[in-house]
Amino acid sequence: MSDAAVSLTSMDFHPQPAGGTPRPWAFPAPERGTLDNGLTVLRCHRPGQQVVAVEIDLDAPLDAEPEGLDGVATIMARALSEGTDKHTAEEFAAELERCGATLDAHADHPGVRVSLEVPASRLPKALGLLAEALRAPAFADSEVERLVRNRLDEIPHETANPARRAAKQLYAELFPAASRMSRPRQGTEETVARIDAAAVRAFYEAHVRPASATAVVVGDLTGIDLDAVLAESLGTWTGTAAKPRTAPPVTADDRGRVVIVDRPGAVQTQLLIGRVGPDRHDRVWPAQVVGTYCLGGTLTSRLDRVLREEKGYTYGVRAFGQVLRSTAEGTGAALLAINGSVDTPHTGPALDDLWKVLRTLAEEGLTDAERDAAVHNLVGVAPLRYETAAAVAGTLADQVEQHLPDDFQAELYRRLAETGTVEATAAVVSAFPPDRLVTVLVGDAAVIREPVEALGIGEVTVVSG
C-alpha cells in the first residue's frame, strides 16, 4: 500500500454538518418616531449589518417645479453634497471619504430622495454631514453652473439610448402635455439651461424642511444611542411648518396605438408597450404582481418562452409594474409595461407573437404551475433580496413616498402567497388588455412600419428619432 493510501485511510474524517432548523422570515418592522423639529424617523435594528443605510424622503415632487424649470429638483438634489456653510464641495467630499460614507440624491415624481451608507462606527459623523447638507447647502453659483453643464451633456446620450428614448416617448404619449409626468424627469435642454443658483435655492426654500421629511435608518445599531445621535445631527435642521399640498390626479390616454421613433439603419428595434393601471393601494396589486411575473418576470415566463426560446427574436422581454405616484388619500397609478428589443427584420413577427401571448392569456388563463413558480420565486427570494440594510431602507422609504403603512411589505408577501391562479389570471389580463396598449418602437421606420401596420394593433405614426 502506498504512503498516500496509508495517510488517507488513517485520517480522522468528521461527519458532514447537518442543516439547521429553518427559521420563519418576515420583512422587518420599523419603529416610528418624531424629532422635536418635526422630522419623522423610522428605525430598524438589523444585527450583523455593519453598514448602516439612511434614506431621507423630501416632499419636493417634480410637479412642484416652477413652469419652465423642469429639472430644477434634480439639480438641487445633486447640489446638496456640493458644499455647505461649513465646507467647500471638495472639503465635504473629503469628510465623507474619511467616514467611509457614500451620499447620493435623486429626484423623481414623488419627491427627492437622499441616500447615505456608512459603517456603523462612523454613523454619528456621517449623520452630522448629512444634516449639514440638508440644513445649509451652499448652492454656490460655480457649482450649480457645473451641474447644469453636466446635465446638458447627459441629455444627448440619453436621447441616443434606445431604451431611454422609448421611455421618453411613452410618457409623452400616455400623459397630457400639461402634466409634469409627460415630460422628462430631469428636464430638457431648454428647461435645464434656464436653471441657476437662485432657482435652485428658491426650490429648496419652498420645499425642503424637516416637518415634511422622513428619515429611515437601518443597520446594526448595537451600542449606538440613536436618539442622541439624531438629536445632535438631523435634529439641528430647522424649517417652517409643512403646508398641505394636493397632488394633481394622474390621467392617461391608453387608446391602442403605435408610435415609431425613426432610427434609420437600426439593426434592432426597442419595444416599450404600456398603459397606466392600479398601484399598491389597490387590492388587486398582489394578484397583479403574480400575474405580471408569470407573463414576463423571468427567463421562464410566457413572453420569454415564446419570443426568446421558441422564436429566437430577442435576448429577453420583460413585463413589470412601476409605481408612478401615490397620494395620502390612497389613490395613485402605476405604469404597467412590457419592454425588450428584437432584431429589425423580425419586428413585425415578434409583435404578432407577443399579441398572441396576450390574447391566449385572456382566453386560456395561467396554469397552476406558472402561478406556483411565480409565488415561489417572489416570496422565496425575499430573504436574499433584503440581506443588506440599504435594500430594507430603500423599501421602507418607498412605502413612505407612496403613503403606505409600515407593515405593507410584510403584508404583501403574505398576500402574494395566498394569491390563486384564477385571481392572478384576472389581474394580468386586466393589466395588459391587447386593445388598450400604447406601443413605442425605436427602430428603422422604413423597414418596420409596413409589417407593423399589417398587424392591426393600432394606428401607426412615425416621429423623428
Side-chain angles (χ1 to χ4, degrees), residues 405-420:
D406 293 342
D407 65 348
F408 174 82
Q409 196 68 25
E411 180 67 10
L412 175 63
Y413 283 115
R414 184 188 67 78
R415 294 178 65 189
L416 289 173
E418 294 175 353
T419 297

Side-chain angles (χ1 to χ4, degrees), residues 389-407:
V392 175
T395 295
L396 290 173
D398 288 343
Q399 292 181 172
V400 171
E401 278 187 346
Q402 295 163 22
H403 303 280
L404 295 166
D406 293 342
D407 65 348

Side-chain angles (χ1 to χ4, degrees), residues 13 16 32 48 52 95 135 148 150-151 176 191 214 224-225 234 244 262 266 313 325 338 367 393 427:
F13 287 101
Q16 182 176 353
R32 178 178 284 264
V52 177
E95 289 296 316
R135 176 185 56 79
V148 167
N150 289 348
R151 177 65 199 131
T191 62
T214 299
I224 299 174
D225 186 347
L234 293 174
D262 191 20
Y313 295 146
R325 192 184 65 211
I338 298 169
T367 66

Side-chain angles (χ1 to χ4, degrees), residues 2 19 131 157 168 202 217 224 230 295 346 435:
S2 69
H157 295 283
K168 177 182 176 182
V217 184
I224 299 174
L230 289 172
L295 174 64
H346 290 106
D435 59 340

Side-chain angles (χ1 to χ4, degrees), residues 100-154:
T102 60
L103 183 65
D104 297 297
H106 73 275
D108 207 337
H109 288 292
V112 171
R113 181 82 66 83
V114 185
S115 305
L116 172 74
E117 286 190 83
V118 63
S121 61
R122 307 291 178 84
L123 180 63
K125 175 66 174 177
L127 278 178
L129 292 169
L130 174 59
E132 193 178 307
L134 293 169
R135 176 185 56 79
F139 296 140
D141 289 351
S142 59
E143 297 296 342
V144 172
E145 289 168 3
R146 178 180 59 82
L147 292 171
V148 167
R149 289 195 302 271
N150 289 348
R151 177 65 199 131
L152 290 173
D153 288 341
E154 292 171 355

Side-chain angles (χ1 to χ4, degrees), residues 438-453:
V438 178
T439 300
V440 173
L441 308 174
V442 180
D444 191 336
V447 177
I448 67 177
R449 178 171 186 165
E450 186 175 340
V452 170
E453 286 179 329

